[in-house]
Structures are given as C-alpha cells and as structure tokens.
Amino acid sequence: MFQGHGDDGYLHQQTLAADFSTNVWYGGAPKGLKEHLFTQWDHVQRYPEVLAESLTQKIAACYGFEAENILVTNGSTESIYLVAQAFKNGKSTITIPAFAEYEDACKMFGHHVNLLHWEELQTGISADTGLLFICNPNNPTGAVFKELETLIFKHPEVLFVVDEAFIEFTLSITSVLPLIEKYSNLIVLRSMTKAYAIPGLRLGYIAANAALIDRLRTFKLPWAVNAMAIAAGHFIFDHIHTLQIPLNQLLTDRDEFIKKLEGSPLKVYPSHTHFFLATINQHTAAILKQFLLKEFNILIRDAGNFRGLTEKHIRIATLNPNKNQLLLNALAEWKPI
C-alpha cells in the first residue's frame, strides 16, 4: 500500500496548522541529534556498514544480548517484509484491526493469510496458525494485550511476530524483548522512528534468537541502513536513558483532549497510547478529512483502509494542548448537510 498511510501531508499543497494523522512523537527529534548528524556528514561519502554492525553491537549491549540476537533494519516496514520473505509461502495470521503492511508483505511472498480479531486472541489461536502478527500496543486502536507471554508459552508451534513500534507510548504493558532468550517462537520488531521522531531516516531493529536472526539475515539487502541513520542510532543509544518522551504528561494531555471531545461529532474509543480511534457520526472520515484540510489546514488520519474498520473511522494523535484546541474548534464548525 503505497498510499493510505498517515502523515500524507506532502500530498497536499498547503502548510498544515496541525497534523493529527501521524502517531510519531510531536516534540521532534532528540535535542542535539541534528547537530551530531552534521558532524557525521563526511560518512555519506563512503558506503555505510553492510549490516550496521557497530549499531547492532550497541543495541545488543544495551539489552544484555549478543549481537547475533539483533538485526538493524530500514525501519519497521523492512522488518515486516523480511519476516514475510524469510517464511515465504507459509501461513500467517494477522490480528486486526492492523497496519496494512503485515498483509501486504505476506501476500507479496505467497502466504496464506488468516485474519484474527483482537478480541479472539485468547481463543482463536490453533496449531495451524503459522506466524501470528500482532502489534502491541496496537496500531490503530491503541489497545494492549497484557497476557502475551501466556500465549507464547501455550503455543510453541506458533511463531509470534510482535511489533512494538509504539511500546514507548504506553504505561499499560512492558516490552517482551527480554523473552527472546526464553522462547524460540518469538520475533520482536522495534522502531526507532516513532518515539525519537526520525521517520525520514528509517531505522528499526529485530530481536530474536540467533537461529531466527540468521534466517532473516539471509534475505537482508546490503547497505539498507544509511550512514546518517546509523549515526542517529548511535546517538540515541548513547543517550537512551535521557531521551525518553514525557509520557505521563502526554497521556494526561490525551485524557484531557478526549474529555473535551465529548459532545463533538466524534465518538472516541478507549486507548492505552497517545493516539486513539474515533468514528464520525455523519458522512465519512474522508469527507471530514477534506473539510478540515480545506477550511482549517488540519490533517487527520482516515482510518477506513485498516482491516476491521469502516469508512467512518479516523485515528487522531494527541498533540500539544494548543493544537488539540485547533481541532476542537474546527469540529465545532462541522455542519454536514
């Protein structure tokens, strides 16, 4: 799916007043990263490390793993396609609503795809499930599944592919990364673009046991992670304990934002992250999106192309209180015929 993601403002010839369509941290890249990358500019005159080996070592050391447990990638999207390719022509189950790339990647590599609703996770996993893709916390709902280790333990024949792209945006669960040393049926996908606000650099990593990482590495293209992304990764992991987002404040702002949306044309659904789903009470999300763009230069995420959702669903990410108020004011002017 080349179109239909959030943050598609580049498709519109206007300056946005507020972008609620992206669930990347609105506060921007870590302080000092931009200046650091300027000092690394000469590295672009040479090929980058073939497999981002130095960053692999640093990430592994941060978690107490061996380098053979980590594979650095060109963002979570590359990670998803690598998994699908490594197990091509297999069987995959995708929990929905879900990010479209899981299904797109599986179909590209000949998987037989089953869809499993989030509410069916406890009872819907069988011996022939194959790979199970789950985003936890989930995109686009912000839901979390708290008993994932129980499922991994109960179903050793199922390979769990756990996408933790938004793990930094919740207080409701903790990462399953430590479990890769305990379970051979677990692959964890991590993003470095969401919480550190560098989606344009494309950077992420996969964590799993050595045998799984070796299998995935077989399909990895050389130089897929560029020199600036590697440099950014080093900077982030060198300062990992001081670069965390102000999560408590962000979630407090979300709660206040949702409270103020009561009585608006939107029905908001509960979320464990800074982003949340809502449905529009009249017309469609696409029509509301165009109204907000045209009249207020505000962008929202039409979530109608997520599996399991409808044309009335939108996804909204919490911004700062002033920008949240812009959306509240604009929605007050929504008077559909």
Side-chain angles (χ1 to χ4, degrees), residues 53-69:
E53 289 90 344
S54 64
L55 182 56
T56 298
Q57 291 278 357
K58 185 164 290 183
I59 295 171
C62 178
Y63 295 114
F65 298 150
E66 299 296 328
E68 62 189 11
N69 296 126

Side-chain angles (χ1 to χ4, degrees), residues 111-146:
H111 290 231
H112 176 76
V113 175
N114 287 324
L115 304 176
L116 181 69
H117 288 273
W118 187 267
E119 296 79 8
E120 300 172 334
L121 267 169
Q122 289 281 21
T123 59
I125 300 176
S126 61
D128 65 346
T129 293
L131 279 68
L132 188 143
F133 287 82
I134 176 172
C135 188
N136 199 31
N138 191 37
N139 177 30
T141 65
V144 299
F145 193 82
K146 297 183 178 182

Side-chain angles (χ1 to χ4, degrees), residues 17 20 22 35 83 93 105 115 158 165 167 173 184 202 227 229-230 235 255 285 298 301-302 314:
F20 295 91
T22 174
E35 292 77 11
V83 172
T93 298
L115 304 176
V158 175
I167 194 68
I173 56 171
S184 60
R202 313 305 309 132
I230 293 172
F235 181 90
D255 292 341
I298 290 174
R301 172 66 154 97
D302 176 356
I314 64 173

